[in-house]
């Protein structure tokens, strides 16, 4: 009888832990999408947005989530400081609200064009900075450096590199590049 009770308690704790992990993952995914799709300048705004998505949490939990996601604050185009995600290419910043689940299916890369030893990568709004960060940190030998705007990345290519070499190397860093 004691063994059955212990097994029941273990099973209940195991189920609670699995449910907690799923809720946390869903909450973190939603938080990423909120930060990527809206200009949020305070934790109160983030808490309200998460509550509108059906999550109940405290400011302390939100603070831990932001730390876990390595969220920072950066100046937006209008000069306000807003939360931003580091090194994430799959999320986009948009001006009109869209369902979070829809946005998670959209890639950031749009196109690449070359002229001499220069290239221009077009992205969805808000993606360029994180894609350029990924390119710079992947140490692609054909690329000397990048400059990113909101939806455009300027790349400087080594003179002896072919466009094909660059695209092949970038395809391992930039999702959906062919």
């Amino acid at each position: 009888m004691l063994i059955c009770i212990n097994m029941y308690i273990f099973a209940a704790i195991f189920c609670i832990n699995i449910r907690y992990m799923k809720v946390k993952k869903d909450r973190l995914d939603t938080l990423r999408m909120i930060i990527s799709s809206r200009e949020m300048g305070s934790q109160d705004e983030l808490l309200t947005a998460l509550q509108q998505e059906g999550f109940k949490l405290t400011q302390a939990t939100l603070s831990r989530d932001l730390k876990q996601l390595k969220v920072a604050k950066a100046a937006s185009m209008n000069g306000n400081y807003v939360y931003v995600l580091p090194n994430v290419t799959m999320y986009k910043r948009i001006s009109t609200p869209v369902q979070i689940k829809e946005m998670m299916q959209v890639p950031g890369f749009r196109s690449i064009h070359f002229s001499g030893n220069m290239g221009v990568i077009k992205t969805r709004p808000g993606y360029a900075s994180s894609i350029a960060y990924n390119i710079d940190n992947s140490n692609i030998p054909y690329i000397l450096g990048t400059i990113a705007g909101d939806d455009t990345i300027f790349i400087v290519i080594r003179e002896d590199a072919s466009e094909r070499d660059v695209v092949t190397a970038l395809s391992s860093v930039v999702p959906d590049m062919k």
Side-chain angles (χ1 to χ4, degrees), residues 97-137:
V98 176
Q99 289 293 325
I100 300 295
K101 290 174 186 162
E102 290 176 49
M103 290 172 47
M104 293 179 76
Q105 306 302 318
V106 181
F109 171 78
R110 287 201 165 169
S111 66
I112 185 168
H113 299 284
F114 297 95
S115 179
N117 72 326
M118 298 176 289
V120 174
I121 299 173
K122 291 301 226 173
T123 71
R124 293 189 182 276
Y127 276 74
S129 180
S130 59
I131 292 175
Y133 177 86
N134 288 345
I135 292 169
D136 288 338
N137 286 298

Side-chain angles (χ1 to χ4, degrees), residues 5 10 15 32 36 71-72 79 85 129 136 141 156 159:
I5 292 171
F10 174 76
C15 289
R32 284 185 192 101
S36 298
V71 171
L85 294 164
S129 180
D136 288 338
V156 178
E159 289 186 27

Side-chain angles (χ1 to χ4, degrees), residues 11-83:
I13 291 170
F14 182 74
C15 289
I16 290 169
N17 283 340
I18 292 208
R19 184 171 182 272
Y20 170 76
M21 294 305 287
K22 182 179 181 341
V23 169
K24 182 175 181 182
K25 181 190 176 315
D26 291 346
R27 185 179 71 238
L28 292 176
D29 286 345
T30 301
L31 182 57
R32 284 185 192 101
M33 293 310 308
I34 289 169
I35 291 170
S36 298
S37 64
R38 306 177 203 163
E39 290 192 352
M40 297 285 185
S42 73
Q43 287 190 8
D44 285 338
E45 292 174 330
L46 286 172
L47 276 172
T48 301
L50 284 166
Q51 288 169 354
Q52 290 171 348
E53 293 291 332
F55 294 94
K56 294 180 183 177
L57 66 152
T58 64
Q59 184 275 329
T61 300
L62 175 60
S63 223
R64 286 188 295 272
D65 288 351
L66 293 172
K67 185 175 182 179
Q68 181 178 343
L69 295 174
K70 296 183 171 103
V71 171
K73 274 197 165 182
S76 68
M77 297 299 277
N78 61 15
N80 296 329
Y81 281 86
V82 296
Y83 289 104

